[in-house]
Amino acid sequence: MNKIAILTSGGDAPGMNAAIRAAVRKGIHEGLEVFGIYNGFQGLIEGKIEQLDAGSVGDIIQRGGTMLHSSRCPEFKTAEGQAEGLRQLRERGIEGLVVIGGDGSFRGAQALSELGFACVGVPGTIDNDIRGTDYTLGFDTALNTVIDAIDKIRDTATSHERTFIVEVMGRDAGDLALWAGVAGGAESILIPERPHDIKEIISRLRQGTGRGKKHSILIVAEGVMTGHALAGQLKEAADIETRVSVLGHIQRGGSPTGRDRVLASKFGARAVEVLIEGKTGVAVGMRNHAVIDYPLTEVFSRREGMEDGLYELSKELSI
Amino acid sequence: MNKIAILTSGGDAPGMNAAIRAAVRKGIHEGLEVFGIYNGFQGLIEGKIEQLDAGSVGDIIQRGGTMLHSSRCPEFKTAEGQAEGLRQLRERGIEGLVVIGGDGSFRGAQALSELGFACVGVPGTIDNDIRGTDYTLGFDTALNTVIDAIDKIRDTATSHERTFIVEVMGRDAGDLALWAGVAGGAESILIPERPHDIKEIISRLRQGTGRGKKHSILIVAEGVMTGHALAGQLKEAADIETRVSVLGHIQRGGSPTGRDRVLASKFGARAVEVLIEGKTGVAVGMRNHAVIDYPLTEVFSRREGMEDGLYELSKELSI
Amino acid sequence: MNKIAILTSGGDAPGMNAAIRAAVRKGIHEGLEVFGIYNGFQGLIEGKIEQLDAGSVGDIIQRGGTMLHSSRCPEFKTAEGQAEGLRQLRERGIEGLVVIGGDGSFRGAQALSELGFACVGVPGTIDNDIRGTDYTLGFDTALNTVIDAIDKIRDTATSHERTFIVEVMGRDAGDLALWAGVAGGAESILIPERPHDIKEIISRLRQGTGRGKKHSILIVAEGVMTGHALAGQLKEAADIETRVSVLGHIQRGGSPTGRDRVLASKFGARAVEVLIEGKTGVAVGMRNHAVIDYPLTEVFSRREGMEDGLYELSKELSI
Amino acid sequence: MNKIAILTSGGDAPGMNAAIRAAVRKGIHEGLEVFGIYNGFQGLIEGKIEQLDAGSVGDIIQRGGTMLHSSRCPEFKTAEGQAEGLRQLRERGIEGLVVIGGDGSFRGAQALSELGFACVGVPGTIDNDIRGTDYTLGFDTALNTVIDAIDKIRDTATSHERTFIVEVMGRDAGDLALWAGVAGGAESILIPERPHDIKEIISRLRQGTGRGKKHSILIVAEGVMTGHALAGQLKEAADIETRVSVLGHIQRGGSPTGRDRVLASKFGARAVEVLIEGKTGVAVGMRNHAVIDYPLTEVFSRREGMEDGLYELSKELSI
């Protein structure tokens, strides 16, 4: 292997730049030429490809977003799109590709891999919802962004003795809502992986008021329902007034935390090693505190449930 | 004057705790007994009043919200409510009252003042919309909260080459939107004090794209329209796709900035001096870099326009 | 078991409050009475012990430091001190003790355990240097504090094209320096676990300048030498001018990160379970992504080396 | 005037990039060609001058440091250096120069101005120590950096019931120490503009302990003495143990606050207007809440004392 390329795809996540930097420098350290593909698979098809040197990834480890930009690319789901992408890579003598993104992006990597091109995926999404790895880049930064918002909202909640609903990202995965809810001392946390009972939520709110709590904060993952929908249910079922805060896009941005920068560095470097070792159709990830690689096919099955007891603990601690 | 009391009223704002601390300690320094009234004018009517010593306001200068809690109190707009409030104060021998809040809260102070009770207002609201003072406590902290959100959103906007709309607080006053927009490098800023032209906004967006800008950010004060309404107009008029972020309640909270803590300290202390000097029906504030006091009646007139040219400058700088 | 107590000991670490909260509420959830001991083992000897209810640990999860205060207590190393501590506990009918702190604090727990009193340790120290657990509370927060400082210093380093030395905490353990150095993009990282070669450091600095780097940042753990000592060596050996920043005590404080809050919640709750299960002389911790418990005696042996390759990776990425 | 240039000089300060951006875009808006000079007056002598367009200052408003880099340049104090700088400017047809920096940098601007070249100074230094303006760029950001550090140190100070000394920047000016001390709730603040009395400091410390304060924080501006020197005096005079934190270079860096970004935008734009109006040898600044310009000669006289009573207030509030 002499030449490899890197792209970022799907929703951006803090730590993507750190992973790009690590892949570029690790590649150069191993004697490879490294290319950056701009705008994800769309840019691959369009040939937006440039060589990167060690200096071109300087001063980016601390930046949110992705310097290679990203996009969603329906065209790459077609055989024609994939063939054109392959042509662009082979034309330049590129022999391996690092794809940083979520599971949608991994499908593109898998497609190329099945066409005989060496591909490795790096999990980058704030949702922490990729099967096979304990961690996806961006989760830790998003977690701290959400907590910072909850801490601010608590000031007002306490001062006005009000109940707030905070809607956080997470269509299929409740990790962000659950961790943020535990860390923010939320009264109730609604996540897609667990059924919720509006009566129990109401009873917990009343219990809190009963023991003199000055405020209550409910966290709801967008995959369960919107914050406004929950507010409506509480109003209708028990005449409880709430305020709603929809955190939205601020959850994707910001300078990555130390953990995201370090794990991104490990993941990006490991991805290059994996290509050099001749593997393809694999993802890097973390399992049991160690960086590992495993077949991409493992990603495309239903997600495991949450088994670590944190949801149950959250109820015991928010009395 | 031997005994004074303090309350916070209306929406909470960062710096209120610092103002409470300053008023309490300045009062004690001047030999007064100082009382805290909990839950604003509602608590005044209900007699939720306790004496505060120097230690009871320790370790609060860095906290958002208000340790005295706040509320909106329609009852205090009635003569009966005011009479009951007055009774509660006189029963305890309290002779002066510091009211920290926005212009709604100042009306309560004015009412008591007209009934012969010494009252002074301290401007505390993130909107910076109180006539007669260049500054209201909380504005600087809210400004930095909004900027932090814009900086995060810009990461995603750049990575995906998208246009974002950020809706910020400000029903009648555009200061927060304007300052945040200038500080965040926004392409267009919509504020209640200035007419806006959807065609100009569109033309500026296209100009930016034309010169290679990777992202665009529009700021809209809630008093102009909602972020979603603006998104609808851009879609309809020019088929421009945007994403909307409604910052909401996070703008009220958070640890106050240095400026808010220092000005709150000055304002709180000056309010006590004003009472000792025998004044009533006045507000403290800042004009021309100095702490001043002026009649509350000045507050209840139409707000001045924005005359410092910052809005015009924002257009010149966002090319 | 009907009554348990909690204390914090040694240097404070962010997340201690979250662990206290979890232990108190888990205990109450399990039907126990829970007591807080103020000022660590010193306070235990002096009988500074008070019962805590669910509300007494409200609104602390986001606070740095420890609400139970801490101290170092030479007296508790003596048999007399331990006997008096034991007497204070038994006098109140307390049957189990949670000790939150570093390995020094764990020796106190071990001593009580050997005297027949049920004790469990919770690892709380920013140094991440406790044998047997992959994580100690406070490390993640301290990491982000150091990174924030490095990011600030880099602004000046770049603007003035200077070399900066940043001295971080870590007498025996280099984790904080290593992680912060990788996350901060440092040119060289000096840690106690690895020998350093001043000539290699100099050669790396010159290499960086050669390829056009505008600034260089060196990280040194205090256990290797002081920042000023390193500056002296670079000046003497190669006439290289540097600026030194000693981060000092800011590394211990601050609102805990999400990770520290969540792991503290898990650790604190698990510690109570461990006591209820009848175990003693154990510590809780994290291994392979799971919360575990293990004998305290494992803690008091020489620390494992660093085997995950991060130090080696740091050299490859800082080209 | 058709062509102008911009340089930054002396110690870097947050907001310099925002001022550069404003000057460049305001210049372009007014139909000028704008040049950037790299590395301050040193770069001017060496001819490191490049034209800047609107895009070249994109995405910098939020960055600390200065994209034009800075340096101290003894050579520019000589007639030869100044002549060479002048030659470089005239060779390119540049007719006006914006100098962003502290009073040392303003002397360079004044020298060129006396040689007949149009120069305007923009005050950029975290010390807030330039005569004639109420504000210098960077002060607000530095203030919040110091406060953030104090808030962290207080966690440990409280947990261990200790006294901390925090040494902050400020050789001749105590503004940063004073504002940070008031905002951080410091027990005593030592600044160059006021005499200090070690006995009074000791007595205040004892008073605080007497009324149950759990911690004490002393702030000392480096211009008074070092933190370690103060620690020595307290130890010797009263056997008081303290811990010292020297904040150092982190005070210069970081993303500028909203206030620094907005005022930098105003200052940078105004500087260009001043050149267009045909003025020279002036500085822009803020007085009484308005952006003004005034002769540079006013800067080079002894600084006014502090007359706003904040120092005296700090003593009354830290009881």
Side-chain angles (χ1 to χ4, degrees), chain C residues 163 165 198 202 205-206 218 227-243:
Chain C
T163 298
I165 294 167
I198 196 80
I202 292 165
L205 281 175
R206 291 198 170 134
L218 313 179
H228 290 287
L230 178 57
Q233 290 192 13
L234 290 171
K235 176 73 182 164
E236 197 178 332
D239 202 31
I240 294 175
E241 291 287 344
T242 56
R243 304 288 166 119

Coordinates of all heavy atoms in Angstrom, one line a residue, chain C residues 163 165 198 202 205-206 218 227-243:
Chain C
T163 N 8.2 28.9 21.9 CA 8.1 27.5 22.5 C 7.7 27.7 23.9 O 8.3 28.4 24.7 CB 9.5 26.8 22.4 OG1 9.8 26.6 21.0 CG2 9.4 25.5 23.1
I165 N 6.6 25.7 27.6 CA 6.6 24.5 28.5 C 5.4 24.6 29.4 O 5.3 25.6 30.1 CB 7.9 24.4 29.3 CG1 9.1 24.2 28.3 CG2 7.9 23.3 30.3 CD1 10.5 24.4 29.0
I198 N 17.0 14.7 26.4 CA 17.0 16.1 26.1 C 17.4 16.3 24.7 O 16.9 17.2 24.0 CB 17.8 16.9 27.1 CG1 17.4 18.4 27.0 CG2 19.3 16.7 26.9 CD1 16.2 18.7 27.8
I202 N 15.2 18.3 21.8 CA 15.8 19.4 21.0 C 15.7 19.1 19.5 O 15.3 20.0 18.7 CB 17.2 19.7 21.4 CG1 17.3 20.2 22.8 CG2 17.9 20.6 20.4 CD1 18.7 20.1 23.5
L205 N 12.2 19.6 18.3 CA 11.8 21.1 18.2 C 12.4 21.6 16.9 O 11.7 22.4 16.2 CB 12.4 21.8 19.4 CG 11.7 21.7 20.7 CD1 12.5 22.4 21.8 CD2 10.3 22.4 20.6
R206 N 13.6 21.3 16.6 CA 14.2 21.8 15.4 C 13.6 21.3 14.1 O 13.4 22.0 13.2 CB 15.7 21.5 15.4 CG 16.4 22.3 16.5 CD 17.9 22.3 16.3 NE 18.5 23.2 17.2 CZ 19.6 23.0 18.0 NH1 20.2 21.8 17.9 NH2 20.1 23.9 18.8
L218 N 5.7 21.9 24.9 CA 6.2 20.8 25.6 C 5.4 20.6 26.9 O 5.2 21.6 27.6 CB 7.7 21.0 25.9 CG 8.6 21.5 24.8 CD1 10.0 21.6 25.3 CD2 8.5 20.5 23.6
G227 N 8.9 22.7 35.3 CA 8.9 23.3 34.0 C 10.1 24.2 33.9 O 10.8 24.3 32.8
H228 N 10.4 24.9 35.0 CA 11.6 25.8 34.9 C 12.9 25.1 34.8 O 13.8 25.6 34.1 CB 11.6 26.7 36.2 CG 10.4 27.7 36.2 ND1 10.4 28.8 35.3 CD2 9.3 27.8 36.8 CE1 9.3 29.5 35.5 NE2 8.6 28.9 36.4
A229 N 13.0 23.9 35.4 CA 14.2 23.1 35.2 C 14.4 22.7 33.8 O 15.5 22.7 33.2 CB 14.1 21.9 36.1
L230 N 13.3 22.3 33.1 CA 13.4 21.9 31.7 C 13.8 23.1 30.9 O 14.6 23.0 30.0 CB 12.0 21.3 31.3 CG 11.9 20.9 29.8 CD1 13.0 19.9 29.4 CD2 10.5 20.4 29.5
A231 N 13.2 24.3 31.2 CA 13.6 25.5 30.5 C 15.1 25.7 30.6 O 15.8 26.1 29.6 CB 12.8 26.7 31.0
G232 N 15.6 25.5 31.8 CA 17.0 25.7 32.0 C 17.9 24.7 31.2 O 18.9 25.1 30.6
Q233 N 17.4 23.5 31.1 CA 18.2 22.5 30.3 C 18.2 22.8 28.8 O 19.2 22.7 28.2 CB 17.6 21.1 30.5 CG 17.8 20.5 31.9 CD 17.4 19.1 32.0 OE1 17.2 18.4 31.0 NE2 17.4 18.5 33.3
L234 N 17.0 23.3 28.3 CA 17.0 23.6 26.9 C 17.8 24.9 26.6 O 18.5 24.9 25.5 CB 15.5 23.9 26.5 CG 14.6 22.6 26.5 CD1 13.2 23.0 26.3 CD2 15.1 21.7 25.4
K235 N 17.8 25.8 27.5 CA 18.7 27.0 27.3 C 20.1 26.6 27.3 O 20.9 27.0 26.5 CB 18.3 28.0 28.5 CG 19.2 29.2 28.5 CD 18.8 30.2 27.4 CE 19.7 31.4 27.4 NZ 19.5 32.2 26.2
E236 N 20.5 25.8 28.3 CA 21.9 25.4 28.4 C 22.4 24.6 27.3 O 23.5 24.8 26.7 CB 22.1 24.7 29.8 CG 23.6 24.7 30.2 CD 23.7 24.0 31.5 OE1 22.8 24.1 32.3 OE2 24.8 23.4 31.8
A237 N 21.6 23.6 26.9 CA 22.1 22.6 26.0 C 22.0 23.1 24.5 O 22.8 22.7 23.7 CB 21.2 21.3 26.1
A238 N 21.0 24.0 24.2 CA 20.9 24.4 22.8 C 20.5 25.8 22.6 O 20.1 26.2 21.6 CB 19.8 23.5 22.2
D239 N 20.6 26.6 23.7 CA 20.3 28.0 23.7 C 18.8 28.3 23.2 O 18.6 29.2 22.4 CB 21.3 28.8 22.8 CG 21.3 30.3 23.1 OD1 21.1 30.6 24.3 OD2 21.5 31.1 22.2
I240 N 17.9 27.4 23.5 CA 16.5 27.5 23.1 C 15.8 28.3 24.2 O 15.8 27.9 25.4 CB 15.9 26.1 22.9 CG1 16.5 25.4 21.7 CG2 14.4 26.3 22.7 CD1 16.0 24.0 21.5
E241 N 15.2 29.4 23.8 CA 14.4 30.2 24.7 C 13.0 29.6 24.8 O 12.3 29.3 23.8 CB 14.2 31.7 24.1 CG 15.5 32.5 24.1 CD 15.9 32.9 25.5 OE1 15.0 32.8 26.5 OE2 17.1 33.3 25.7
T242 N 12.5 29.5 26.0 CA 11.1 29.0 26.2 C 10.4 29.9 27.2 O 11.0 30.6 28.0 CB 11.1 27.6 26.7 OG1 11.9 27.5 27.9 CG2 11.7 26.6 25.7
R243 N 9.1 29.8 27.3 CA 8.3 30.3 28.3 C 7.7 29.2 29.1 O 7.3 28.2 28.5 CB 7.1 31.2 27.8 CG 7.6 32.3 26.9 CD 8.3 33.4 27.7 NE 9.1 34.3 26.8 CZ 8.8 35.6 26.7 NH1 7.8 36.1 27.4 NH2 9.6 36.3 25.9

